[in-house]
Short mmCIF file of all heavy atoms in Angstrom, two decimals:
data_model
loop_
_atom_site.label_atom_id
_atom_site.label_comp_id
_atom_site.label_asym_id
_atom_site.label_seq_id
_atom_site.Cartn_x
_atom_site.Cartn_y
_atom_site.Cartn_z
N SER A 296 -32.19 8.48 -30.39
CA SER A 296 -33.08 7.35 -30.14
C SER A 296 -33.84 7.59 -28.85
O SER A 296 -33.69 8.63 -28.22
CB SER A 296 -32.28 6.05 -30.06
OG SER A 296 -31.50 6.05 -28.89
N ARG A 297 -34.61 6.64 -28.43
CA ARG A 297 -35.43 6.81 -27.26
C ARG A 297 -34.71 6.41 -25.97
O ARG A 297 -35.32 6.23 -24.94
CB ARG A 297 -36.72 6.02 -27.42
CG ARG A 297 -37.54 6.54 -28.60
CD ARG A 297 -38.87 5.88 -28.70
NE ARG A 297 -39.80 6.26 -27.66
CZ ARG A 297 -40.53 7.37 -27.65
NH1 ARG A 297 -40.41 8.23 -28.64
NH2 ARG A 297 -41.37 7.61 -26.68
N SER A 298 -33.39 6.26 -26.01
CA SER A 298 -32.64 5.95 -24.80
C SER A 298 -31.79 7.16 -24.42
O SER A 298 -31.60 8.07 -25.20
CB SER A 298 -31.75 4.73 -25.01
OG SER A 298 -30.74 5.01 -25.94
N TYR A 299 -31.31 7.15 -23.21
CA TYR A 299 -30.48 8.25 -22.73
C TYR A 299 -29.06 8.09 -23.24
O TYR A 299 -28.47 7.00 -23.16
CB TYR A 299 -30.49 8.30 -21.21
CG TYR A 299 -31.83 8.66 -20.65
CD1 TYR A 299 -32.71 7.68 -20.21
CD2 TYR A 299 -32.24 9.98 -20.58
CE1 TYR A 299 -33.96 8.02 -19.71
CE2 TYR A 299 -33.48 10.33 -20.09
CZ TYR A 299 -34.34 9.34 -19.65
OH TYR A 299 -35.57 9.68 -19.16
N LYS A 300 -28.49 9.16 -23.73
CA LYS A 300 -27.15 9.15 -24.31
C LYS A 300 -26.10 8.67 -23.30
O LYS A 300 -25.18 7.94 -23.65
CB LYS A 300 -26.81 10.55 -24.81
CG LYS A 300 -25.52 10.68 -25.55
CD LYS A 300 -25.38 12.10 -26.06
CE LYS A 300 -24.12 12.32 -26.83
NZ LYS A 300 -24.00 13.70 -27.27
N THR A 301 -26.24 9.08 -22.04
CA THR A 301 -25.22 8.76 -21.04
C THR A 301 -25.12 7.28 -20.71
O THR A 301 -24.09 6.84 -20.21
CB THR A 301 -25.49 9.53 -19.74
OG1 THR A 301 -26.82 9.24 -19.30
CG2 THR A 301 -25.31 11.01 -19.92
N ILE A 302 -26.15 6.51 -21.01
CA ILE A 302 -26.09 5.08 -20.67
C ILE A 302 -25.87 4.20 -21.90
O ILE A 302 -25.81 2.98 -21.77
CB ILE A 302 -27.35 4.63 -19.90
CG1 ILE A 302 -28.61 4.89 -20.71
CG2 ILE A 302 -27.42 5.29 -18.55
CD1 ILE A 302 -29.87 4.33 -20.10
N ARG A 303 -25.69 4.80 -23.05
CA ARG A 303 -25.38 4.02 -24.26
C ARG A 303 -23.96 3.48 -24.17
O ARG A 303 -23.06 4.17 -23.70
CB ARG A 303 -25.50 4.89 -25.50
CG ARG A 303 -26.93 5.24 -25.79
CD ARG A 303 -27.08 5.82 -27.17
NE ARG A 303 -28.41 6.37 -27.25
CZ ARG A 303 -28.68 7.57 -27.71
NH1 ARG A 303 -27.71 8.34 -28.17
NH2 ARG A 303 -29.91 8.01 -27.74
N PRO A 304 -23.73 2.26 -24.63
CA PRO A 304 -22.38 1.70 -24.57
C PRO A 304 -21.45 2.34 -25.59
O PRO A 304 -21.86 2.69 -26.69
CB PRO A 304 -22.60 0.21 -24.87
CG PRO A 304 -23.91 0.14 -25.57
CD PRO A 304 -24.72 1.32 -25.14
N MET A 305 -20.20 2.49 -25.18
CA MET A 305 -19.17 3.06 -26.05
C MET A 305 -17.90 2.24 -25.82
O MET A 305 -17.51 2.02 -24.67
CB MET A 305 -18.93 4.52 -25.67
CG MET A 305 -17.90 5.21 -26.53
SD MET A 305 -17.73 6.96 -26.09
CE MET A 305 -16.17 6.91 -25.25
N PRO A 306 -17.25 1.80 -26.89
CA PRO A 306 -16.02 1.02 -26.69
C PRO A 306 -14.90 1.89 -26.15
O PRO A 306 -14.76 3.05 -26.52
CB PRO A 306 -15.70 0.49 -28.10
CG PRO A 306 -16.46 1.35 -29.03
CD PRO A 306 -17.61 1.94 -28.29
N GLY A 307 -14.13 1.32 -25.25
CA GLY A 307 -13.00 2.05 -24.68
C GLY A 307 -12.38 1.28 -23.53
O GLY A 307 -12.73 0.13 -23.27
N THR A 308 -11.46 1.95 -22.86
CA THR A 308 -10.73 1.33 -21.76
C THR A 308 -10.98 2.10 -20.47
O THR A 308 -10.84 3.32 -20.44
CB THR A 308 -9.21 1.32 -22.06
OG1 THR A 308 -9.02 0.64 -23.30
CG2 THR A 308 -8.43 0.61 -20.98
N ILE A 309 -11.32 1.37 -19.42
CA ILE A 309 -11.46 1.95 -18.09
C ILE A 309 -10.61 1.11 -17.15
O ILE A 309 -10.80 -0.11 -17.06
CB ILE A 309 -12.93 1.97 -17.60
CG1 ILE A 309 -13.78 2.88 -18.50
CG2 ILE A 309 -13.00 2.45 -16.15
CD1 ILE A 309 -15.25 2.94 -18.12
N ASN A 310 -9.66 1.75 -16.50
CA ASN A 310 -8.75 1.07 -15.56
C ASN A 310 -8.07 -0.14 -16.18
O ASN A 310 -7.97 -1.20 -15.57
CB ASN A 310 -9.49 0.67 -14.27
CG ASN A 310 -9.92 1.87 -13.48
OD1 ASN A 310 -9.32 2.94 -13.55
ND2 ASN A 310 -10.97 1.71 -12.70
N GLY A 311 -7.63 0.00 -17.42
CA GLY A 311 -6.91 -1.06 -18.10
C GLY A 311 -7.77 -2.17 -18.68
O GLY A 311 -7.26 -3.09 -19.30
N GLU A 312 -9.06 -2.09 -18.51
CA GLU A 312 -9.97 -3.10 -19.05
C GLU A 312 -10.68 -2.55 -20.27
O GLU A 312 -11.34 -1.51 -20.19
CB GLU A 312 -10.99 -3.51 -17.99
CG GLU A 312 -11.95 -4.58 -18.45
CD GLU A 312 -12.99 -4.93 -17.40
OE1 GLU A 312 -12.70 -4.83 -16.20
OE2 GLU A 312 -14.12 -5.28 -17.80
N TYR A 313 -10.53 -3.24 -21.40
CA TYR A 313 -11.19 -2.81 -22.63
C TYR A 313 -12.56 -3.45 -22.71
O TYR A 313 -12.76 -4.61 -22.37
CB TYR A 313 -10.37 -3.19 -23.87
CG TYR A 313 -11.02 -2.74 -25.15
CD1 TYR A 313 -10.89 -1.42 -25.58
CD2 TYR A 313 -11.80 -3.61 -25.90
CE1 TYR A 313 -11.52 -0.99 -26.74
CE2 TYR A 313 -12.42 -3.19 -27.06
CZ TYR A 313 -12.28 -1.88 -27.47
OH TYR A 313 -12.90 -1.45 -28.61
N GLY A 314 -13.53 -2.66 -23.16
CA GLY A 314 -14.88 -3.19 -23.34
C GLY A 314 -15.81 -2.11 -23.81
O GLY A 314 -15.40 -1.00 -24.16
N LYS A 315 -17.09 -2.43 -23.83
CA LYS A 315 -18.13 -1.44 -24.16
C LYS A 315 -18.81 -1.07 -22.85
O LYS A 315 -19.51 -1.89 -22.26
CB LYS A 315 -19.15 -2.03 -25.14
CG LYS A 315 -18.72 -1.97 -26.57
CD LYS A 315 -19.90 -2.30 -27.47
CE LYS A 315 -19.60 -1.76 -28.85
NZ LYS A 315 -20.76 -1.81 -29.71
N PHE A 316 -18.56 0.15 -22.40
CA PHE A 316 -19.10 0.64 -21.15
C PHE A 316 -20.08 1.77 -21.42
O PHE A 316 -19.93 2.50 -22.40
CB PHE A 316 -17.98 1.18 -20.25
CG PHE A 316 -16.92 0.16 -19.93
CD1 PHE A 316 -15.71 0.17 -20.59
CD2 PHE A 316 -17.13 -0.79 -18.95
CE1 PHE A 316 -14.72 -0.75 -20.30
CE2 PHE A 316 -16.16 -1.72 -18.64
CZ PHE A 316 -14.94 -1.71 -19.31
N PRO A 317 -21.06 1.95 -20.53
CA PRO A 317 -21.93 3.13 -20.68
C PRO A 317 -21.09 4.40 -20.65
O PRO A 317 -20.11 4.50 -19.90
CB PRO A 317 -22.84 3.05 -19.45
CG PRO A 317 -22.87 1.60 -19.09
CD PRO A 317 -21.48 1.09 -19.43
N ILE A 318 -21.44 5.36 -21.49
CA ILE A 318 -20.65 6.60 -21.64
C ILE A 318 -20.37 7.26 -20.29
O ILE A 318 -19.27 7.74 -20.04
CB ILE A 318 -21.36 7.57 -22.60
CG1 ILE A 318 -21.29 7.03 -24.02
CG2 ILE A 318 -20.77 8.96 -22.53
CD1 ILE A 318 -22.08 7.82 -25.05
N ILE A 319 -21.33 7.26 -19.39
CA ILE A 319 -21.16 7.95 -18.12
C ILE A 319 -20.05 7.35 -17.27
O ILE A 319 -19.41 8.05 -16.48
CB ILE A 319 -22.48 8.00 -17.33
CG1 ILE A 319 -22.35 9.01 -16.19
CG2 ILE A 319 -22.90 6.63 -16.85
CD1 ILE A 319 -23.63 9.38 -15.53
N LEU A 320 -19.75 6.07 -17.42
CA LEU A 320 -18.72 5.44 -16.59
C LEU A 320 -17.33 6.03 -16.84
O LEU A 320 -16.50 6.08 -15.93
CB LEU A 320 -18.70 3.93 -16.79
CG LEU A 320 -19.91 3.17 -16.27
CD1 LEU A 320 -19.72 1.66 -16.43
CD2 LEU A 320 -20.23 3.52 -14.83
N TYR A 321 -17.06 6.48 -18.05
CA TYR A 321 -15.76 7.09 -18.34
C TYR A 321 -15.59 8.36 -17.52
O TYR A 321 -14.54 8.61 -16.94
CB TYR A 321 -15.63 7.40 -19.84
CG TYR A 321 -15.66 6.16 -20.69
CD1 TYR A 321 -16.84 5.70 -21.26
CD2 TYR A 321 -14.50 5.42 -20.93
CE1 TYR A 321 -16.87 4.55 -22.03
CE2 TYR A 321 -14.51 4.27 -21.70
CZ TYR A 321 -15.70 3.84 -22.26
OH TYR A 321 -15.72 2.70 -23.01
N LEU A 322 -16.63 9.18 -17.46
CA LEU A 322 -16.59 10.40 -16.68
C LEU A 322 -16.51 10.10 -15.18
O LEU A 322 -15.71 10.70 -14.46
CB LEU A 322 -17.81 11.27 -16.97
CG LEU A 322 -17.93 12.51 -16.08
CD1 LEU A 322 -16.82 13.50 -16.39
CD2 LEU A 322 -19.28 13.14 -16.21
N LEU A 323 -17.33 9.18 -14.70
CA LEU A 323 -17.33 8.87 -13.27
C LEU A 323 -15.99 8.33 -12.81
O LEU A 323 -15.51 8.66 -11.72
CB LEU A 323 -18.45 7.89 -12.94
CG LEU A 323 -19.87 8.40 -13.20
CD1 LEU A 323 -20.89 7.32 -12.89
CD2 LEU A 323 -20.15 9.66 -12.41
N ASN A 324 -15.34 7.51 -13.62
CA ASN A 324 -14.00 7.01 -13.29
C ASN A 324 -13.01 8.17 -13.18
O ASN A 324 -12.15 8.18 -12.31
CB ASN A 324 -13.55 5.99 -14.34
CG ASN A 324 -12.24 5.34 -13.98
OD1 ASN A 324 -12.05 4.87 -12.87
ND2 ASN A 324 -11.33 5.32 -14.93
N THR A 325 -13.16 9.14 -14.05
CA THR A 325 -12.31 10.33 -14.00
C THR A 325 -12.56 11.12 -12.72
O THR A 325 -11.62 11.57 -12.07
CB THR A 325 -12.58 11.22 -15.23
OG1 THR A 325 -12.19 10.51 -16.40
CG2 THR A 325 -11.82 12.53 -15.16
N LEU A 326 -13.81 11.29 -12.36
CA LEU A 326 -14.15 12.08 -11.18
C LEU A 326 -13.57 11.49 -9.90
O LEU A 326 -13.08 12.22 -9.04
CB LEU A 326 -15.66 12.25 -11.05
CG LEU A 326 -16.34 13.11 -12.10
CD1 LEU A 326 -17.85 13.09 -11.92
CD2 LEU A 326 -15.81 14.53 -12.08
N ILE A 327 -13.63 10.16 -9.75
CA ILE A 327 -13.11 9.58 -8.52
C ILE A 327 -11.59 9.64 -8.44
O ILE A 327 -11.02 9.52 -7.36
CB ILE A 327 -13.62 8.14 -8.28
CG1 ILE A 327 -13.15 7.20 -9.36
CG2 ILE A 327 -15.12 8.12 -8.13
CD1 ILE A 327 -13.46 5.73 -9.08
N LYS A 328 -10.93 9.86 -9.57
CA LYS A 328 -9.47 9.98 -9.59
C LYS A 328 -9.01 11.41 -9.32
O LYS A 328 -7.82 11.66 -9.17
CB LYS A 328 -8.92 9.52 -10.94
CG LYS A 328 -9.04 8.03 -11.15
CD LYS A 328 -8.51 7.64 -12.51
CE LYS A 328 -8.60 6.14 -12.70
NZ LYS A 328 -8.12 5.73 -14.02
N SER A 329 -9.93 12.34 -9.27
CA SER A 329 -9.59 13.75 -9.09
C SER A 329 -9.67 14.14 -7.62
O SER A 329 -10.74 14.06 -7.02
CB SER A 329 -10.55 14.60 -9.91
OG SER A 329 -10.27 15.95 -9.71
N PRO A 330 -8.56 14.60 -7.03
CA PRO A 330 -8.58 14.98 -5.61
C PRO A 330 -9.46 16.18 -5.30
O PRO A 330 -9.88 16.37 -4.16
CB PRO A 330 -7.12 15.31 -5.29
CG PRO A 330 -6.33 15.01 -6.48
CD PRO A 330 -7.24 14.69 -7.61
N SER A 331 -9.79 16.99 -6.29
CA SER A 331 -10.60 18.17 -6.04
C SER A 331 -12.10 17.87 -6.04
O SER A 331 -12.90 18.74 -5.74
CB SER A 331 -10.30 19.26 -7.06
OG SER A 331 -10.69 18.85 -8.34
N VAL A 332 -12.47 16.63 -6.34
CA VAL A 332 -13.88 16.25 -6.38
C VAL A 332 -14.26 15.59 -5.06
O VAL A 332 -13.63 14.62 -4.65
CB VAL A 332 -14.17 15.30 -7.57
CG1 VAL A 332 -15.57 14.76 -7.50
CG2 VAL A 332 -13.94 16.04 -8.88
N GLY A 333 -15.29 16.15 -4.42
CA GLY A 333 -15.78 15.60 -3.17
C GLY A 333 -17.00 14.72 -3.41
O GLY A 333 -16.97 13.78 -4.18
N LYS A 334 -18.10 15.09 -2.79
CA LYS A 334 -19.37 14.37 -2.92
C LYS A 334 -19.83 14.44 -4.37
O LYS A 334 -19.74 15.48 -5.01
CB LYS A 334 -20.39 15.04 -2.01
CG LYS A 334 -21.75 14.43 -2.02
CD LYS A 334 -22.69 15.24 -1.15
CE LYS A 334 -23.13 14.40 0.01
NZ LYS A 334 -24.03 15.09 0.91
N ILE A 335 -20.33 13.31 -4.90
CA ILE A 335 -20.77 13.25 -6.30
C ILE A 335 -22.24 12.85 -6.36
O ILE A 335 -22.61 11.76 -5.93
CB ILE A 335 -19.92 12.26 -7.11
CG1 ILE A 335 -18.44 12.65 -7.05
CG2 ILE A 335 -20.41 12.19 -8.56
CD1 ILE A 335 -17.49 11.60 -7.60
N ILE A 336 -23.06 13.76 -6.88
CA ILE A 336 -24.48 13.52 -7.06
C ILE A 336 -24.74 13.37 -8.56
O ILE A 336 -24.37 14.23 -9.35
CB ILE A 336 -25.33 14.69 -6.51
CG1 ILE A 336 -25.00 14.97 -5.05
CG2 ILE A 336 -26.82 14.42 -6.73
CD1 ILE A 336 -25.33 13.85 -4.10
#
């Protein structure tokens, strides 16, 4: 479609909360939990 894939909502759980979140939020939540990840652009 004419929207960006990363911002499309996808059902799932982030930090124990179930809902429809943009796809990118699942990855970003993972990145902040990883000690090997520093600055995130």
Side-chain angles (χ1 to χ4, degrees):
S296 69
R297 298 186 71 82
S298 67
Y299 293 97
K300 186 176 181 182
T301 55
I302 59 173
R303 290 193 192 132
M305 181 177 107
T308 304
I309 296 179
N310 293 333
E312 181 182 329
Y313 181 81
K315 278 192 160 190
F316 301 101
I318 289 174
I319 194 167
L320 292 184
Y321 296 94
L322 174 68
L323 297 178
N324 186 49
T325 296
L326 292 175
I327 63 172
K328 290 179 178 179
S329 177
S331 65
V332 172
K334 180 184 245 180
I335 302 169
I336 305 296

